[in-house]
Amino acid sequence: MNLNHAFYDTDIISAKTNTFHQEMGKLIYYFSEIMRSTEFKTPELLIVRLLVAKIISNATAANILIYDECFKEAHMILRSALETVVLIAYLINFPDKTEEYLSDAQILKMKNNFIVFKETREGECSDINGQKISKKALEEELVRCFGLMTPVSQSRILGGIKETEFKINEQIIQKLDNFFKKFKPFFMRLEDMYKEIDNKGFKIDKNFSLRDTLYCFYNGSSQIAHGCFLD
């Protein structure tokens, strides 16, 4: 009897999972159709469009995992979607921060490139063909990437290290190291964004702050992502 009851419970769970998966699929479809039929005429709205597309992509991936009953993995992916929800709400309330957002994203990528350059020993790094990459080649790539950045991003880095030209030497490496250690994009500071959005008077259903609405799910999802995987 207990075994049959266990199977019965499993069947109920599977049926509910399938229903939820189908409803999620409908929502994803409807939002995708709205995106396709909506014009995003300003640069600020084009950024929002890209971020909404990311949420749809996250939700689609999570829904596949939900169908396979990989609920914790779905939690982790939806954590990414929730962070993007906060960012969209922030940029809609503060459209003048869009340029800073793009600049922060570029500087973060440059920080990643710098870390690769700084942490790689001579001959340690190789390309897809197995050819060893010299430290000099990494240095040249770093300078090339800087040249691809927007003038705003370039000015922020040069201003931060108090230099007029981006080049690589021991002194500038130390300055860049200090600059990047202190650098943290505003879109990675969720609590700060929550507060600013709340101060703007933004509410969900006229009663709830964005943080009130999202925090519990986001907190649990973060704990799963960081290793709290077992019940």
Side-chain angles (χ1 to χ4, degrees), residues 7-200:
F7 277 121
Y8 178 69
D9 284 346
T10 301
D11 290 342
I12 291 176
I13 292 171
S14 295
K16 288 182 177 179
T17 298
N18 287 338
T19 300
F20 184 76
H21 170 77
Q22 291 169 12
E23 292 303 312
M24 276 280 287
K26 291 177 186 177
L27 285 172
I28 291 166
Y29 172 77
Y30 293 143
F31 272 104
S32 298
E33 287 300 303
I34 290 170
M35 289 285 288
R36 276 191 280 270
S37 61
T38 304
E39 290 188 38
F40 297 84
K41 295 182 179 180
T42 67
E44 291 80 11
L45 288 178
L46 285 173
I47 299 302
V48 170
R49 184 187 188 283
L50 182 66
L51 293 172
V52 174
K54 175 183 178 291
I55 292 175
I56 292 173
S57 176
N58 288 159
T60 301
N63 206 29
I64 293 170
L65 291 168
I66 289 167
Y67 182 76
D68 289 334
E69 298 186 3
C70 299
F71 302 118
K72 286 183 168 57
E73 288 83 355
H75 257 276
M76 288 187 280
I77 292 176
L78 290 174
R79 171 182 182 252
S80 170
L82 288 186
E83 290 185 4
T84 309
V85 168
V86 178
L87 178 56
I88 289 173
Y90 186 84
L91 292 178
I92 287 173
N93 280 279
F94 302 96
D96 56 311
K97 298 284 282 187
T98 302
E99 185 176 52
E100 183 181 344
Y101 164 61
L102 294 173
S103 179
D104 272 5
Q106 282 196 331
I107 294 173
L108 183 61
K109 291 291 187 182
M110 192 65 179
K111 177 181 179 178
N112 294 341
N113 292 338
F114 176 75
I115 290 172
V116 171
F117 167 77
K118 190 185 72 164
E119 298 295 331
T120 301
R121 295 190 297 271
E122 183 70 46
E124 181 182 30
C125 186
S126 60
D127 62 19
I128 59 174
N129 298 315
Q131 295 290 109
K132 296 297 181 183
I133 300 175
S134 68
K135 197 78 171 177
K136 181 67 175 175
L138 289 176
E139 175 185 315
E140 292 171 354
E141 178 64 11
L142 200 62
V143 174
R144 186 187 75 84
C145 289
F146 178 83
L148 297 175
M149 300 176 78
T150 64
V152 171
S153 300
Q154 291 179 351
S155 295
R156 288 177 65 190
I157 290 177
L158 291 174
I161 63 176
K162 294 180 171 56
E163 294 285 341
T164 58
E165 180 185 359
F166 189 86
K167 54 188 177 181
I168 303 298
N169 57 43
E170 288 302 319
Q171 182 182 13
I172 291 181
I173 288 173
Q174 186 58 53
K175 287 183 175 182
L176 285 169
D177 196 36
N178 293 334
F179 172 77
F180 284 131
K181 281 179 180 177
K182 297 174 184 176
F183 173 74
K184 186 174 183 180
F186 76 76
F187 60 82
M188 295 177 68
R189 300 194 298 266
L190 281 184
E191 287 298 328
D192 290 345
M193 286 197 291
Y194 279 136
K195 289 176 184 176
E196 290 187 55
I197 292 170
D198 197 40
N199 290 338
K200 192 80 170 179

